[in-house]
Amino acid sequence: MSSHAFDTALKLRALDQGRFAGTIGAAYWNMVGPYGGTTAASVLKAILMHPDVLGTPLSITVNYAGALAQGPFEVQLHAARTNRSTQHWTAAIVQNDAQGQPVITTTATAITAVRRETWSLSDVPMPPVARPAEVPPMRVAKAMAWLDNYELRPITGLIPQSWDGRQHDHSLSQLWMRDQPARALDFCSLLALADIFYPRVWLKRASRVPVGTVSMTAYFHAGEPELQATGTGYLLGQVRGQEFRNGFFDHSAQLWNEAGSLLCTSHQIVYYKE
Amino acid sequence: MSSHAFDTALKLRALDQGRFAGTIGAAYWNMVGPYGGTTAASVLKAILMHPDVLGTPLSITVNYAGALAQGPFEVQLHAARTNRSTQHWTAAIVQNDAQGQPVITTTATAITAVRRETWSLSDVPMPPVARPAEVPPMRVAKAMAWLDNYELRPITGLIPQSWDGRQHDHSLSQLWMRDQPARALDFCSLLALADIFYPRVWLKRASRVPVGTVSMTAYFHAGEPELQATGTGYLLGQVRGQEFRNGFFDHSAQLWNEAGSLLCTSHQIVYYKE
């Protein structure tokens, strides 16, 4: 049995009627709650554990409605509609508040699909960048526990070294990344990696304003064969901010494996203060 | 009272407990169901009609689970969580099937938010293109009713004139667009316009393979002031395919007003055959 921190964090116990019990631990703790990538991955894990699941993940949208605390939580799933080759899921994460009342912390929808081989083609080729071995790993200040579980090799758009408020000319970042210690890629870890990018507003403004992801959507282009071809290799992550407007910005991201297959595209809208 | 086809199509009657009754008419009919943009807009309309709604739209994800037929339908809403400045909605469209049984055709989540003026900036400037008056309107073959309700002035990436199967070098399209007859922009019509792009796989392959949007997400960067500044003016739409893989492709889109404000960014994952 795996003892990887990611598997421990995502451990769920099936209850009745599409309910799955988990526990938020400290290993992926972020500033005021668990790392959003593991929250999203917990929803996906529950879907993939559901006895009725059809196919593999195609898309997921996770809405971060409120903070999760350390301790028990429940993923509640409903297969809203099952077609011949696609299945539509609605989901929520529920946790008891300080008064013991169940509260929805997270809403989500997801689609799983039976994928067949068809004409295929990428219209966003992997950018030409240095190989992972040529890029030194980031030295992480031990501020946030979740970062210890990732090996990050930033290529461009590094987190600002001084918070001097000087406006950056773009909001593009590229980095190589994988679980630490290395772990063979699966759908859940791919989804968690899609949330890894630090807030674009920090790069753009060189100012560490308070932020929080409000909603994240990921599209899975990888099936089982692409996951297996990736194994424990690195992913190249690329992210770019689009619009920063009145308290919220969005970004658009792509994740390729080392062979240049685009495994996942992802989008977020993120709150920022002031 | 407005007699615009869009307002007629989006007409909803509030029932009890977050339920809203509407009717799918013929005006926005697509090939095998209503135009997906109006389906998404119906969900948003219901949210904006809800007596408890907080703020204006920030994001919406609409999942097209099954076809809608002409006739009555219901939008069912639930405010899953209301915070100080954001509100999380879950929604479904339900329609009776041929046996009179209610069936979920559409699932959705949305977030509304109270927006305040903050530091703001666009990182995706509007591309330099010809002004709307310099671009001739597209002459629409009367195949699909919904197209009659839009004025489209394609700049680049026009729909292929011959379906010769010759692979196109990119999947970028840009066009000016607005409601026809002109109608002052609101959140619902903005969302409907975000679904206007014809399938990227048709452009890329010059082949009119069967397609269907599976899921669409839109992020609203516009608030009421930006809508009012836009009025009945044109929007510049830009869309680009990302990955076409084993039966599904995704695209990423931006919508600016004539003054160059990025009002909405949007993403889709779309089924394609073979």
Side-chain angles (χ1 to χ4, degrees), chain A residues 58-59 61 63-67 78 80-81 83 85-86 88-91 103-105 107-111 113-124 167-172 201 204-205 214-217 219-223 226 240-254 256 261-262 265-269 271-274, chain B residues 58-59 61 63-67 78 80-81 83 85-86 88-91 103-105 107-111 113-124 167-172 201 204-205 214-217 219-223 226 240-254 256 261-262 265-269 271-274:
Chain A
L58 177 66
S59 81
T61 294
N63 306 296
Y64 299 90
H78 177 57
R81 179 147 172 170
N83 297 317
S85 63
T86 58
H88 287 254
W89 296 89
T90 61
V103 172
I104 294 174
T105 65
T107 67
T109 59
I111 300 159
V114 177
R115 311 287 290 259
R116 294 173 302 102
E117 269 192 44
T118 67
W119 174 91
S120 294
L121 183 145
S122 184
D123 221 22
V124 187
Q167 191 169 297
H168 202 68
D169 59 348
H170 65 76
S171 60
L172 171 72
V201 69
K204 194 74 196 175
R205 296 176 68 177
V214 179
S215 183
M216 171 188 180
T217 291
Y219 298 145
F220 293 89
H221 302 295
E226 290 80 11
R240 201 185 305 253
Q242 297 201 104
E243 183 79 6
F244 305 77
R245 182 70 46 192
N246 292 341
F248 299 91
F249 74 86
D250 70 323
H251 81 217
S252 186
Q254 295 85 26
W256 294 267
S261 297
L262 185 53
T265 51
S266 174
H267 315 280
Q268 288 198 8
I269 191 148
Y271 161 81
Y272 64 89
K273 189 159 182 183
E274 182 247 323
Chain B
L58 177 67
S59 81
T61 294
N63 305 295
Y64 300 90
H78 177 58
R81 180 149 171 167
N83 297 317
S85 62
T86 59
H88 286 254
W89 295 89
T90 61
V103 172
I104 293 174
T105 65
T107 67
T109 60
I111 299 159
V114 177
R115 311 286 290 260
R116 293 174 301 104
E117 269 192 45
T118 67
W119 172 91
S120 296
L121 183 146
S122 184
D123 221 21
V124 186
Q167 191 170 299
H168 201 70
D169 59 348
H170 64 75
S171 60
L172 171 72
V201 68
K204 195 73 196 176
R205 296 176 69 178
V214 180
S215 182
M216 172 188 181
T217 291
Y219 298 145
F220 294 89
H221 302 294
E226 289 80 10
R240 201 186 305 256
Q242 297 201 104
E243 183 78 7
F244 304 78
R245 182 69 48 192
N246 293 340
F248 298 91
F249 75 87
D250 70 322
H251 81 216
S252 186
Q254 295 86 26
W256 295 267
S261 297
L262 184 53
T265 51
S266 174
H267 316 281
Q268 289 198 7
I269 190 148
Y271 162 80
Y272 64 89
K273 189 159 182 184
E274 181 247 324

Side-chain angles (χ1 to χ4, degrees), chain A residues 135-139 152-163 168 170-176 197-207 239:
Chain A
V135 181
M138 192 170 100
R139 290 182 30 216
L152 308 177
R153 295 173 179 260
I155 300 161
T156 190
L158 280 69
I159 197 160
Q161 297 305 295
S162 76
W163 303 104
H168 202 68
H170 65 76
S171 60
L172 171 72
S173 289
Q174 295 170 330
L175 77 165
W176 291 108
F197 310 101
Y198 73 89
R200 300 297 87 200
V201 69
W202 291 3
L203 176 56
K204 194 74 196 175
R205 296 176 68 177
S207 176
V239 62

